[in-house]
Amino acid sequence: MSDRTIQVGGNANGAVLNTGDHNQIVAAPKITMPEPQAVDIQQALRELTTALGELSTQQPRKLSNALEEAQEEIEQAQPDKAEVAESLARAAKIAKEAESFASHSEKLVERFTPVLGWLGPHATRVAEALGMAI
């Protein structure tokens, strides 16, 4: 057995440190969200829906239902952001289970970011479902 210690000579905040053979690391991306008023939520949700549609999930109907519920809520005169977040958290959990999630993750983070900005304090629920840090 070889020595697999890691020595850090300073700050390692935000770092992913690993030893061993054939390890795979998935690190939660840290994103910066736009201000809610700067987001065209209709456009952002359309782009997110398109990106999620590229995934081959085990539960395509449930994913579609969650996205439709979010769309219906944002079309209201006074959308309930908590309800939108609940629907999108369900969609995120389904998407994360897709085999192709990892290969689409960069694009999905890009598409989720404006939506999370619009959600404001309700974004945490969706970000947690995705494994993102905000």
Side-chain angles (χ1 to χ4, degrees), residues 39-50 71 74 111 114-115:
V39 177
D40 176 352
I41 189 58
Q42 294 285 349
Q43 176 71 23
L45 190 57
R46 276 193 301 273
E47 291 175 0
L48 176 60
T49 299
T50 299
Q71 180 65 42
I74 66 169
R111 297 297 185 251
V115 175

Side-chain angles (χ1 to χ4, degrees), residues 7-20:
Q7 294 181 349
V8 177
N11 184 332
N13 289 343
V16 176
L17 307 174
N18 185 29
T19 66

Side-chain angles (χ1 to χ4, degrees), residues 9 19 22-23 30 32 51 53 58 68 71 76-77 83 87 93 96 98 117 124 133:
T19 66
H22 312 291
N23 294 320
K30 173 83 169 137
T32 303
Q58 298 286 5
E68 286 173 14
Q71 180 65 42
Q76 301 297 315
E83 274 197 44
S87 296
K93 287 178 186 175
K96 202 165 177 195
T124 305

Side-chain angles (χ1 to χ4, degrees), residues 17-76:
L17 307 174
N18 185 29
T19 66
D21 300 326
H22 312 291
N23 294 320
Q24 292 183 343
I25 297 177
V26 177
K30 173 83 169 137
I31 61 166
T32 303
M33 298 183 303
E35 292 296 319
Q37 64 275 14
V39 177
D40 176 352
I41 189 58
Q42 294 285 349
Q43 176 71 23
L45 190 57
R46 276 193 301 273
E47 291 175 0
L48 176 60
T49 299
T50 299
L52 289 172
E54 295 173 5
L55 297 176
S56 48
T57 68
Q58 298 286 5
Q59 302 173 334
R61 187 67 205 144
K62 285 186 177 184
L63 178 60
S64 178
N65 287 346
L67 293 169
E68 286 173 14
E69 288 173 18
Q71 180 65 42
E72 287 174 9
E73 188 59 38
I74 66 169
E75 290 173 354
Q76 301 297 315

